[in-house]
């Protein structure tokens, strides 16, 4: 029963430092956003304005009037991706290990899909003065890990997200001889704004469903990284000898008496 | 005596205990400290909270950001392995297809049982909770009073280490002076709730939880708990000194490698093993209780899950603490000529009278909590503040029996995968937020959401019970349970009251609501039976052998050397969480058993 013995030093210190060390190896993997071809000399291209973007979405919505609850609609639209055959991590996984996308099951994205996902990640969670963009935190790889997972919930997202990626490029190509990644950033953003409206109107109907699920994954993936947690204002998960409640400036703002 | 394989077990033990959680661990601790030779059978594997729990890992270190999957049903870092609502090869069934009439059954298959997996909320039942029938005309009275159990509440609290305050609230008992550890300070939202709820006549006070906010008094408590037993005093003092106070970070559900949070392995089994009087046999799936020629329980047959082979462990006394319904299942599967309907079931009451907490929740967004100066609000992570039932003794004001407590869920907790979509309803603008707008929304609204979760009393009724499924067996060929469940009108009226009152309290805090409360549709708001994981009953204690399964010492009426030491003996659910009462009942039953063994009565 030696494993029940308490170590002489505080265990969490060891855990924390070990985890940090392994993170050092992980962080350089986070990719830089590739330079987007559409960033320059885009003026001579036909603009995708709001009207055009709306047309995209309404045509997609009209073409596929099914509820997006599972892979069914993706299958019917002919873009059903290769199904996942990998196994899950089982009911007794190592809880202490640091897991990276691709460790447990093979990833899915092609190079082109990955490039597109990086662009979308950074539209959904861009850099600003206080925090980095999503792709520099590897969130696109998390999305790939997610849609490649063998579990039921993620399989449902897999169908819709892969379909959405294909749809974005098909629509762009049909109108612009380009793919989505090559569009000028303003046009990309415009399309995403229309998708965000569609998602708010009905988060279960394609293509709003695609953008809704992608936004959830990218934003949730972002705020679960240390940089994302810092940006949102989370200051916890730090061992402390004592806890004294909220600081005086918080109590003052809430007009509450000190405890 | 150590952790063993089946072939290493002794020929006979004084006591064989099935289950290593709250009830089984408490029994093993108390008995072995008094020199009783004990074997614990645990259906799951050994689990070491010190070396296996991921206390400070962030979600990005886990697969899929740590979300719940069919493999890890309470999230990746939850200290539950091989456990959950659905365990492959270990089914259970429901008689009804109607979801409202189904029961969900969480099983914990690991050393320490469900003590690995709870929020550590540890509240005493109050005096009224033992007299439900006499006071309210529903359910059953317990065959004891609060005063009968109170000394063991004190003892269980001193041993486990519980923080909280004594508030003098009717039917939410105080502990004896010096028993509780100091509660943590409140968070901003909890302070606001306290100030605003007071105007509605509702007190927000520190909850009681099995978390050390300071080191236990290893010089004083062991003498109190083990008077005259120097060896037990020494072993307990040593074990108390291995436990460190809370570090005010990380969710207790992940397990506690510093042993600040109570679990059976850290608090009960570790010192019990050091007595030399305990063998622990993991991966042992109990099949049935066996009888000797005289028709008395004599041991337990079990399957070694590592080989599939069946074995038998002999004991003069058998204790079932496998988790209320699992213990019931063992009784029903222990059929013999003498007990054709299952062991200890001559009353026909085994499996009857399942109860659970009556739970619902209301959430809102509190503008006053927006844009607060950034600060660490982890505290003891999870519940710190609650509203003990404020209308105890004012039954005439209510259209349902019993009451409920409400837990405040507040704070700037660690973001998770759902955080990204949590601002949609609050966000002002066109379309779902993304980009710069989402980042601004997130900084503004994060930490401003508040929930109040009510958990209420349920009196036993005839519609909630379990029995053996006539056809379905698990992968070892053991018949499984079939559940019957139906919320009565009383529970649904209680939930309407919960929804209305929780909404009023949040309104008093200035909340914005994005979803209407289900005041008129309580069946929409009520948690499914079993989902709160507070289920008890199925072998209830009572005064009358014809109407109950055990006496107040948890001994079955049919066989005094068979003891039910988990929640199965509860004659009903109070507006308190069950675990502390399981500990106190098991402690009391163990003390009684030691006396009986000394007297040679068994």
């Amino acid at each position: 029963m030696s494993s029940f013995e308490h170590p002489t030093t505080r265990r969490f210190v060891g855990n924390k430092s070990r985890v940090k060390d392994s993170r050092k190896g992980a962080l350089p993997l986070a990719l830089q956003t590739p330079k987007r071809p559409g960033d320059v000399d885009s003026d001579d291209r036909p603009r995708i304005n709001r009207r055009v973007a709306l047309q995209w979405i309404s045509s997609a919505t009209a073409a596929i009037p099914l509820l997006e609850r599972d892979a069914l609609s993706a299958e019917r639209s002919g873009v059903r991706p290769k199904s996942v055959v990998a196994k899950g991590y089982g009911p007794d996984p190592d809880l202490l290990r640091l897991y990276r996308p691709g460790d447990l099951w093979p990833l899915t994205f092609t190079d082109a899909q990955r490039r597109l996902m990086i662009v979308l990640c950074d539209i959904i969670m861009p850099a600003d003065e206080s925090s980095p963009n999503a792709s520099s935190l590897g969130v696109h790889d998390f999305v790939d890990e997610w849609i490649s997972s063998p579990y039921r919930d993620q399989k449902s997202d897999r169908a819709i997200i892969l379909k959405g990626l294909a749809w974005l490029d098909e629509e762009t190509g049909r109108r612009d001889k380009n793919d989505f990644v090559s569009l000028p950033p303003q046009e990309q953003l415009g399309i995403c704004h229309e998708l965000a409206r569609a998602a708010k109107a009905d988060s279960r109907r394609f293509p709003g469903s695609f953008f809704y699920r992608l936004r959830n994954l990218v934003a949730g993936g972002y705020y679960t990284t240390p940089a994302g947690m810092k940006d949102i204002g989370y200051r916890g998960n730090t061992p402390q000898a004592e806890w004294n409640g909220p600081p005086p400036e918080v109590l003052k703002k809430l007009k509450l008496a000190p405890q | 005596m150590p952790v063993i394989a089946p072939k290493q077990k002794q020929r006979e033990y004084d006591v064989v205990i099935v289950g290593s959680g709250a009830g089984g661990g408490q029994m093993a601790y108390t008995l072995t400290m008094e020199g009783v030779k004990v074997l614990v059978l645990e259906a799951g594997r050994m689990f070491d909270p010190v070396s296996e729990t991921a206390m400070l890992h962030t979600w990005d270190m886990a697969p899929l950001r740590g979300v719940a999957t069919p493999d890890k049903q309470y999230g990746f870092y939850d200290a539950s392995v091989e456990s959950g609502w659905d365990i492959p090869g270990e089914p259970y069934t429901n008689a009804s297809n109607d979801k409202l009439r189904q029961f969900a059954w969480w099983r914990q298959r690991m050393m320490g049982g469900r003590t690995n997996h709870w929020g550590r909320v540890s509240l005493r039942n109050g005096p009224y909770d033992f007299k439900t029938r006499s006071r309210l005309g529903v359910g059953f009275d317990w065959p004891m009073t609060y005063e009968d159990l109170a000394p063991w509440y004190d003892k269980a609290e001193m041993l486990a280490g519980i923080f909280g305050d004594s508030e003098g609230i009717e039917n939410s008992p105080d502990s004896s002076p010096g028993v509780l550890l100091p509660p943590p300070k409140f968070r901003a939202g909890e302070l606001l709730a306290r100030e605003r709820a007071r105007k509605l006549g509702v007190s927000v006070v520190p909850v009681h939880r099995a978390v050390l906010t300071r080191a236990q008094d290893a010089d004083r408590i062991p003498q109190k708990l083990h008077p005259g037993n120097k060896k037990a005093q020494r072993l307990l003092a040593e074990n108390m000194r291995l436990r460190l106070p809370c570090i005010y970070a990380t969710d207790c559900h992940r397990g506690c490698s510093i042993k600040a949070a109570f679990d059976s392995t850290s608090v009960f089994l570790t010192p019990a093993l050091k007595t030399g009087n305990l063998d622990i046999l993991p991966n042992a799936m109990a099949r049935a209780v066996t009888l000797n020629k005289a028709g008395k329980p004599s041991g337990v047959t079990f399957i070694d899950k590592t080989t599939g082979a069946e074995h038998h462990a002999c004991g003069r006394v058998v204790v079932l603490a496998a988790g209320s319904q699992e213990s019931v299942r063992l009784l029903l599967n222990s059929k013999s000529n003498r007990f054709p309907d299952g062991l200890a079931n001559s009353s026909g009451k085994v499996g009857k009278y399942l109860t659970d907490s009556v739970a619902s929740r209301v959430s809102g967004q509190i503008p006053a909590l927006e844009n607060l100066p950034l600060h660490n609000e982890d505290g003891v992570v999870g519940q710190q503040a609650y509203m003990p039932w404020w209308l105890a003794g004012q039954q005439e004001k209510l259209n349902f029996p019993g009451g409920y407590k409400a837990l405040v869920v507040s704070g700037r907790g660690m973001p998770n995968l759902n955080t990204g979509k949590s601002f949609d309803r609050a966000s002002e603008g066109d379309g779902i937020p993304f980009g710069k707008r989402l980042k601004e929304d997130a900084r503004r609204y994060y930490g401003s959401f508040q929930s109040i979760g009510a958990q209420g009393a349920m009196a036993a009724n005839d519609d909630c019970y379990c029995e053996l499924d006539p056809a379905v067996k698990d992968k070892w060929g053991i018949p499984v349970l079939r559940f019957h469940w139906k919320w009565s009108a009383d529970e649904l009226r209680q939930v309407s009251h919960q929804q209305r009152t929780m909404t009023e309290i949040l309104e008093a805090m200035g909340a914005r609501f994005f979803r209407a409360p289900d005041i008129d549709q309580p069946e929409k708001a009520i948690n499914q039976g079993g989902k709160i994981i507070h289920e008890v009953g199925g072998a209830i204690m009572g005064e009358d052998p014809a109407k109950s399964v055990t006496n107040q010492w948890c001994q079955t009426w049919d066989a005094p050397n068979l003891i039910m030491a988990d929640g199965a003996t509860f004659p009903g659910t109070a507006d308190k969480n069950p675990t502390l009462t399981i500990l106190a009942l098991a402690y009391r039953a163990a003390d009684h058993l030691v006396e009986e063994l000394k007297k040679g009565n068994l």
Side-chain angles (χ1 to χ4, degrees), chain A residues 25-226:
Chain A
L27 285 175
L29 283 179
L31 290 181
Q32 297 296 310
T33 312
K35 190 168 157 53
R36 300 180 205 162
D39 279 355
V40 272
D41 72 339
S42 58
D43 284 343
D44 53 349
R45 293 236 178 86
R47 283 272 169 201
I48 296 182
N49 58 23
R50 174 146 194 230
R51 185 181 57 79
V52 175
L54 269 171
Q55 278 173 4
W56 281 36
I57 289 157
S58 57
S59 63
T61 308
I64 307 143
L66 292 168
L67 278 182
E68 303 284 349
R69 283 196 61 82
D70 50 32
L72 189 66
S73 57
E75 188 175 24
R76 291 189 185 178
S77 69
V79 293
R80 185 183 172 84
K82 207 167 72 179
S83 59
V84 172
V85 292
K87 284 191 172 151
Y89 47 68
D92 190 7
D94 181 350
L95 301 181
L96 296 174
R97 210 183 117 187
L98 172 59
Y99 295 87
R100 295 192 196 87
D103 283 358
L104 289 168
W105 41 77
L107 300 180
T108 298
F109 287 159
T110 61
D111 287 348
Q113 286 170 325
R114 196 159 186 270
R115 275 196 299 278
L116 175 52
M117 185 53 62
I118 286 169
V119 170
L120 292 168
C121 275
D122 294 341
I123 290 172
I124 291 170
M125 297 305 291
D128 60 14
E129 37 314 321
S130 62
S131 56
N133 62 20
S135 70
S136 66
L137 302 175
V139 174
H140 53 293
D141 287 329
F142 158 64
V143 176
D144 199 353
E145 176 207 3
W146 183 272
I147 64 145
S148 307
S149 143
Y151 299 112
R152 191 185 56 199
D153 288 358
Q154 288 82 34
K155 280 182 175 175
S156 153
D157 281 348
R158 172 186 181 84
I160 289 173
I161 284 173
L162 290 178
K163 179 177 139 188
L165 295 181
W167 173 81
L168 275 180
D169 275 346
E170 278 166 25
E171 280 296 320
T172 319
R174 214 150 59 80
R175 294 161 197 274
D176 196 321
K177 295 176 192 162
N178 259 311
D179 54 14
F180 187 85
V181 171
S182 311
L183 291 177
Q186 277 313 312
E187 296 185 14
Q188 293 171 341
L189 197 60
I191 289 164
C192 288
H193 274 300
E194 292 312 324
L195 285 167
R197 288 188 185 98
K200 188 167 186 175
D202 186 350
S203 65
R204 294 167 72 182
R205 192 180 175 96
F206 194 85
S209 60
F210 157 64
F211 194 74
Y212 180 68
R213 293 186 189 210
L214 182 63
R215 194 287 313 259
N216 294 348
L217 287 174
V218 172
Y222 186 88
Y223 286 122
T224 43
T225 63

Side-chain angles (χ1 to χ4, degrees), chain B residues 360-365 425-426 449 499 503 506-507 511-526:
Chain B
S360 78
R361 165 186 283 236
V362 177
S363 305
Q365 190 265 333
R425 300 277 184 83
F449 296 88
Q499 291 283 300
T503 302
L506 287 169
E507 274 171 354
R512 292 201 287 163
F513 298 95
F514 305 115
R515 184 181 179 285
D518 292 308
I519 295 168
D520 300 322
Q521 292 174 294
E523 64 282 354
K524 274 191 165 178
I526 195 167

Side-chain angles (χ1 to χ4, degrees), chain B residues 116-285:
Chain B
N116 291 295
H117 168 78
W118 60 311
R120 271 73 174 179
V121 172
S122 303
L123 300 168
R124 298 180 175 206
N125 279 10
Y128 305 164
D129 302 324
F130 292 88
K131 300 297 162 200
T132 309
R133 184 84 198 174
S134 332
R135 289 182 50 83
L136 304 173
V138 293
F140 300 105
D141 286 351
W142 296 48
M144 60 171 69
T145 63
Y146 169 73
E147 286 70 28
D148 290 332
L149 192 55
W152 282 274
Y153 275 131
D154 275 347
K155 287 167 67 166
E157 287 172 346
M158 281 190 277
L159 182 53
I162 313 266
F163 74 68
D165 251 352
S166 288
E167 306 277 349
I169 292 166
E170 186 174 3
N171 201 42
S172 291
D174 294 346
S175 302
S176 293
V179 168
L180 296 177
L181 300 165
K185 294 274 186 6
F186 279 0
R187 304 180 180 102
E190 293 157 351
L191 290 168
L192 193 65
R194 183 171 71 181
E195 189 203 56
R196 303 293 169 86
R198 190 181 290 141
K199 294 167 187 166
L200 301 171
V202 177
S203 298
V204 177
V205 304
V207 75
H208 297 205
R209 273 175 69 189
V211 178
L212 304 187
T213 47
R214 65 166 63 143
Q216 288 174 294
D217 188 343
D219 299 323
R220 190 181 58 90
I221 295 173
Q223 293 173 35
K224 283 197 156 187
L225 296 183
H226 300 289
N229 184 341
K230 290 285 177 204
K231 180 183 172 186
Q233 290 175 16
R234 177 177 56 79
L235 291 175
L236 176 56
E238 280 173 11
N239 199 61
M240 284 184 160
R241 293 190 178 103
L242 293 175
R243 299 181 65 190
L244 299 174
C246 184
I247 54 170
Y248 302 104
T250 162
D251 184 350
C252 296
H253 283 92
R254 293 184 179 211
C256 194
S257 65
I258 62 166
K259 307 187 182 200
F262 164 91
D263 64 65
S264 175
T265 304
S266 297
V267 176
F268 294 148
L269 301 177
T270 302
L273 278 167
K274 289 182 182 158
T275 63
N277 297 322
L278 176 64
D279 278 349
I280 295 180
L281 216 167
N283 301 306
M285 180 74 191

